[in-house]
Amino acid sequence: MKRSTLLSVTALLTVTVATAIALFTLSPAPDPKTATGVPREATSAPAGVLDAGQILTAARAISDALPPLPDHLTDAMPDITFQTDANGDLIPTLATRNIFDFFLSALEDEPLEQVLARLERTLSSHLEEPALTQARDLLERYLSYRIELDALAKQAQPVMTSSGFDVVALQQRQETLEGLRQGRFSGTEAEAFFGLEETQDRHMLEYLRISQDSSLSDNERNRALASLEQQLPQALREVRQRVTRNGEVYRQVNQMRAAGASDAEVFQARTHVLGAEAATRLAELDQQRAQWQQRLDDFLQARNRIRQSGMSVSDQQAAIDDLIASRFTGAEVVRARALSAEL
């Protein structure tokens, strides 16, 4: 994916623990299913939660009449690849989940039905039967999973003690979260979609246990943490090393800019650590953000002049609506309206 993730290790640990474990207080999940699909009754959403099947049906009806994808999402588009076996059945992979997540990340820019219509068009243009129907079913169950997690997360709070996170409570929540996944997905699907994530979450739980174990000396704790790190799969160790490196570059660039460094100096620093290709992409992203910020600043100045013009409230709103329509297009309109209301 053409998107650089600049997070420190601390940020990664916080995200992993706070979102994947601590925020979810879930009900017991059904027993894992071994079939390729999960029975409908096992995947029904709780009362009051949106029905994923109905949403997807509405999305398919508009999949042939979609506006272009917003530019900033087009630039971040992952490779669209699906795997099938010799019989034409879908093989669930992490890449499949990444495709689902990429389109769902557009919810800040577009309504849900339109986002899902793009996913429907992607599935139908890359897959044939029986994989197409299987992918649609998998998407419906994944959407139900995401909707339910979102609803439940709003009702839960992180569990903290004087020593930090309550590890016992986190363990219970992790087990329940994994049970929820097993209740919605087959073993193969759950492993493909969440296997690495669950390995990382279990690693973090053990990290917290060791860190909070008062019976250990500093040397014993350091040795235990070093041993724990070596138990991670190579793929996860590489990710953690990359995140650490990106986080260090992010902090370095912020310090350089605060000290008045030029764009050329920033590019050179990024190239030294990340390589020329990544440095070029980040420079392009910097430019896009700067251009957007300048456009937004110009719009806000014009909007403020309208608000100070002495016109009636209704005339002011009409003038601001015209201003937005003349300066922004597509998803930019939604972002401009939201930011205008906040600033």
Side-chain angles (χ1 to χ4, degrees):
M1 183 181 294
K2 303 175 185 176
R3 177 183 293 166
S4 295
T5 305
L6 300 177
L7 293 175
S8 66
V9 171
T10 300
L12 176 62
L13 305 189
T14 302
V15 169
T16 300
V17 174
T19 61
I21 304 174
L23 292 181
F24 302 132
T25 304
L26 309 175
S27 302
D31 290 337
K33 309 298 179 185
T34 57
T36 57
V38 178
R40 178 75 58 182
E41 59 269 20
T43 64
S44 58
V49 176
L50 295 174
D51 185 284
Q54 293 178 357
I55 297 172
L56 285 166
T57 299
R60 288 172 192 143
I62 63 172
S63 63
D64 292 331
L66 290 170
L69 193 68
D71 289 344
H72 67 283
L73 291 175
T74 301
D75 293 339
M77 176 75 76
D79 293 332
I80 305 297
T81 57
F82 296 98
Q83 293 185 24
T84 56
D85 63 17
N87 297 320
D89 292 316
L90 181 72
I91 300 175
T93 65
L94 182 57
T96 306
R97 179 189 170 185
N98 289 340
I99 293 168
F100 291 172
D101 285 338
F102 167 75
F103 283 100
L104 292 173
S105 72
L107 287 173
E108 294 182 357
D109 302 289
E110 300 180 322
L112 178 59
E113 288 79 4
Q114 187 165 305
V115 168
L116 296 178
R118 294 192 189 281
L119 259 170
E120 164 61 24
R121 187 165 67 180
T122 298
L123 296 180
S124 60
S125 64
H126 286 80
L127 291 170
E128 298 179 353
E129 295 296 352
L132 176 57
T133 294
Q134 293 164 353
R136 286 170 172 165
D137 175 67
L138 181 56
L139 172 60
E140 180 175 343
R141 287 183 281 117
Y142 185 65
L143 179 61
S144 295
Y145 166 79
R146 289 278 301 263
I147 290 173
E148 186 172 6
L149 282 189
D150 182 65
L152 292 170
K154 293 175 181 177
Q155 304 170 10
Q157 296 294 327
V159 179
M160 302 291 293
T161 68
S162 58
S163 302
F165 286 107
D166 184 334
V167 178
V168 174
L170 293 181
Q171 177 65 47
Q172 294 173 344
R173 283 165 174 75
Q174 177 65 16
E175 291 172 357
T176 309
L177 177 59
E178 292 180 14
L180 176 67
R181 292 167 176 168
Q182 292 167 356
R184 290 195 176 277
F185 305 99
S186 71
T188 300
E189 292 166 345
E191 176 61 27
F193 273 31
F194 309 109
L196 282 177
E197 181 180 327
E198 290 180 356
T199 298
Q200 171 103 345
D201 290 343
R202 296 184 197 118
H203 171 88
M204 291 314 309
L205 283 168
E206 188 61 25
Y207 178 94
L208 290 172
R209 285 194 192 93
I210 295 172
S211 298
Q212 296 179 14
D213 189 346
S214 59
S215 68
L216 297 175
S217 67
D218 288 344
N219 287 337
E220 290 171 335
R221 182 176 295 105
N222 290 337
R223 285 197 299 270
L225 291 175
S227 175
L228 179 65
E229 187 72 16
Q230 292 304 311
Q231 295 172 25
L232 276 174
Q234 181 64 27
L236 278 178
R237 287 206 302 273
E238 290 175 356
V239 168
R240 289 163 65 85
Q241 291 167 1
R242 189 161 58 249
V243 167
T244 301
R245 182 185 61 204
N246 289 345
E248 291 172 351
V249 172
Y250 181 75
R251 288 190 295 274
Q252 179 185 4
V253 167
N254 282 343
Q255 293 170 356
M256 291 176 64
R257 292 198 187 282
S262 67
D263 289 342
E265 290 171 326
V266 168
F267 181 84
Q268 183 177 7
R270 285 170 168 168
T271 300
H272 179 71
V273 179
L274 303 176
E277 183 178 352
T280 299
R281 290 200 303 269
L282 289 172
E284 292 171 351
L285 183 59
D286 287 343
Q287 185 177 19
Q288 292 169 8
R289 287 172 173 167
Q291 291 172 347
W292 166 256
Q293 189 61 52
Q294 185 59 57
R295 291 174 61 200
L296 183 61
D297 290 344
D298 293 343
F299 159 71
L300 292 175
Q301 290 177 10
R303 181 210 63 180
N304 291 341
R305 288 195 292 270
I306 293 172
R307 288 183 173 178
Q308 298 166 6
S309 64
M311 292 189 293
S312 67
V313 173
S314 60
D315 287 343
Q316 285 184 32
Q317 189 58 55
I320 292 174
D321 289 343
D322 290 341
L323 182 66
I324 291 175
S326 68
R327 299 197 179 196
F328 303 100
T329 60
E332 293 178 346
V333 172
V334 178
R335 297 174 66 191
R337 288 190 184 281
L339 290 169
S340 177
E342 294 174 2
L343 300 176

